Amino acid sequence: MVAVLTMVAVLTMPLAIAPVAADDTLIDEVHAFLYEQASGLGDEVVIEVRPPSARLPDCEHPEPFLPRAGQPLVGRISVGVRCGSDGRQVRYLQAEIGIIGGYPVAARDIAAGSVIDAGMLETRHGDLARLPRQAVVDSQRIIGQVAQRPLAAGSTLEEHQLAARALVERGQTVTVEARGSSFQVTREGEALEPGGQGERVRVRFANRQLVTATVVGEARLAVDF
């Protein structure tokens, strides 16, 4: 993997050795933190950390963190930094992350309702930050999905354009497997709603008992105890 690190720092006040060094240390800490978080997301990572817009007291013992857990590490983001030995002082810096990597596109026109297979996709490389917000960059998440609308050749595929293929239909007779640490029991029931792989579906048994089970295959569901 090739990693390219870019850091831009513009100083607009008279030179002062100690404050500049403190700013550089803070930016280096944030830079290293973001690179560690994003290094596995693509073939190349480009990171720009912007220095604080105002002169602030030195940040001792900086500990960077992401303000929003699970936020995408691509494009413009905000990074929090706890300062001081007790971490009670918090400041925020802006950063720009570019991830250069491969992503799937439609290899040909795909009709609405088609179940997507590997032959319908091809890989392109570019800055993932420039893709639509809902673009899917892992082809394995696309294969087996159903196109909800026509997809043009060369287009990126987005979450809202895809749906899980129904493995269970409403009113269908299904097999429900109940599993525990030392037992496994199967029963037949009626699916009360459709569902795709991994989705939760309500099932009614002959005795009118209702359970919610996870779709694990064609007309097959599972309940764990």
Side-chain angles (χ1 to χ4, degrees):
M1 177 181 294
V2 178
V4 176
L5 305 183
T6 303
M7 179 172 67
V8 176
V10 179
L11 302 176
T12 58
M13 63 180 294
L15 291 176
I17 295 177
V20 172
D23 273 355
D24 285 349
T25 299
L26 174 61
I27 292 171
D28 286 346
E29 288 286 343
V30 173
H31 201 286
F33 168 76
L34 291 177
Y35 180 70
E36 180 181 0
Q37 297 293 312
S39 60
L41 300 179
D43 303 322
E44 182 179 318
V45 180
V46 180
I47 301 174
E48 177 184 328
V49 180
R50 304 183 189 281
S53 57
R55 175 55 58 197
L56 299 171
D58 292 351
C59 179
E60 299 181 353
H61 311 295
E63 295 184 5
F65 67 94
L66 296 173
R68 292 190 300 111
Q71 66 177 313
L73 286 175
V74 63
R76 183 174 299 176
I77 69 168
S78 178
V79 186
V81 183
R82 298 184 181 91
C83 305
S85 57
D86 57 5
R88 297 177 63 181
Q89 302 175 39
V90 178
R91 63 187 59 172
Y92 296 89
L93 280 72
Q94 298 299 309
E96 190 88 22
I97 301 179
I99 305 293
I100 310 301
Y103 59 93
V105 300
R108 55 180 173 80
D109 291 344
I110 299 175
S114 299
V115 178
I116 298 174
D117 59 39
M120 298 178 180
L121 305 174
E122 64 182 20
T123 301
R124 289 188 180 173
H125 286 78
D127 187 350
L128 304 187
R130 298 183 179 276
L131 298 179
R133 182 173 295 273
Q134 289 194 327
V136 182
V137 297
D138 181 359
S139 61
Q140 293 305 310
R141 290 180 54 198
I142 298 173
I143 294 172
Q145 297 279 299
V146 177
Q148 295 291 89
R149 61 185 65 182
L151 303 171
S155 63
T156 56
L157 285 76
E158 303 178 44
E159 295 279 2
H160 65 89
Q161 299 171 333
L162 307 168
R165 180 170 68 92
L167 298 176
V168 171
E169 300 292 345
R170 178 183 175 89
Q172 182 179 14
T173 298
V174 295
T175 299
V176 180
E177 180 181 287
R179 298 175 298 199
S181 58
S182 59
F183 71 91
Q184 179 173 315
V185 179
T186 59
R187 296 176 63 184
E188 283 194 348
E190 178 189 356
L192 300 183
E193 52 208 349
Q197 184 72 29
E199 293 183 337
R200 304 271 289 170
V201 171
R202 289 179 303 142
V203 178
R204 180 171 56 208
F205 295 119
N207 63 0
R208 314 301 292 179
Q209 178 188 5
L210 292 177
V211 300
T212 300
T214 302
V215 178
V216 295
E218 293 277 1
R220 291 177 48 245
L221 301 98
V223 179
D224 292 322
F225 291 94

